[in-house]
Amino acid sequence: DIAAMLREIGVALVEASQPVQVVEQRLLDIAARYTTQPVQAAVLPTMLFIQIGTTAYEMDGSAQPSGQMNMAAGADEVATLAAAGAITPTAAVAAVKAARNLPPRFGVLATIGGYALTSVGFGMVIQPTWKALLAHLFLGLVVGVIVQIARPFPNLAPILPTLSALVVTLLATWFVADVAKDGLLRVISPALIATLPGMALVIGAIELAGARIISGSSRVVYGLAQMGLLIYGVVLAEKIAGQVPVQQSSSTMGAWSLYVAIVVIAVGLYIYLSAPPGSLIWLLLVIGVSMLVQNVAGLVLNTAHSGFLAAAIAIPLAILASKIKGAPASGVLELAAFWSLVPGQLTFMSLSRSASGDFDNIANLSVAAAAITSIALGTLVGWTLVRTFRNDPQRPSAAVPLAAWT
């Protein structure tokens, strides 16, 4: 029963986009509450191995990350109870299975609307112009529909990035050409947030920095493959519809647009990612701190490196805020922080420019890599600080991570 509990919790945490070293350590903390036998754990992005003593073995595969915050909240709450020894293994297994099977909190139309709102919010961050708002809303609705149609059909997942990028680029070229003249990639990137692999790239970088070579490298390769599929869709659409000449950008909204964008992104993610009831104000807090710190840090540091300070502050804030009564689980707030920090749009824009032959912008590739690395290191620093200075001492564990495997 203990091995089965560790298996279920581990798989759920991996599906909630937790880096493997974090999952591994949480499993070891849990194991120490339930057994004195030696425990070995090896966590990979798609596979998990558990051994207790010499008799109990568990192995299971994980699905693609769900991204649903209500699932992440359920899995995190069970893991927290188990780490305190406050739940039986049988009850923990049942609770985690129930959390993994949770449907989206909102209906299909509301979820599509939430996705479109999120697209508008990110659009206001990278292209805060009045005439771009309707374009971001329109393209966000289109991709939201595509994502919802593909959800019941997992076999469509490999072509979803290419299809989304192709459709969005064609529509942007044909129907919102005036806005696209401000910069086509600035128009289509916010609408493609669901298919941008920024999360995989950052988590992979975190795992590589934590010496989890197999896990980290496989995530990075997966992220680059997804990025390649997206870029192919953009390039194919440009061949079909022709390129939109870049002209002088239209007038911007002003500095206040960032604060409005934070609210719009928080509301959009609350709906689209099925955040738990009562968590909106906490999402707003974490997203606001993440984006404002990154914005202020960008005034002093290079833009690519401002993510380090933002992540180093946002991750401890997410973990500590989850301790407050009424706050959602730390996994939910960490997901919110990742969504507000992950520079997938920057990477996508840089690589697309290079693929289209704009080699004057090839330097943006190094900027994107630096941004991903800075957020990964900031996240590691944040987790390390919280774990070092937290006040809840753990019972000594006989568990051993199989770090060499991961």
Side-chain angles (χ1 to χ4, degrees), residues 173 177-184 238 241-249:
T173 303
D178 290 340
V179 178
K181 288 178 181 178
D182 285 346
L184 178 62
E238 287 185 342
Q243 294 187 357
V244 178
V246 178
Q247 298 183 1
Q248 185 176 1
S249 298

Side-chain angles (χ1 to χ4, degrees), residues 24-25 27-28 31 37-42 49 51 397-403:
E24 202 171 71
Q25 188 58 57
L27 293 180
L28 301 185
Q37 295 187 67
V39 177
Q40 292 182 317
F49 304 89
Q51 179 180 345
S397 173
V400 178
L402 297 183

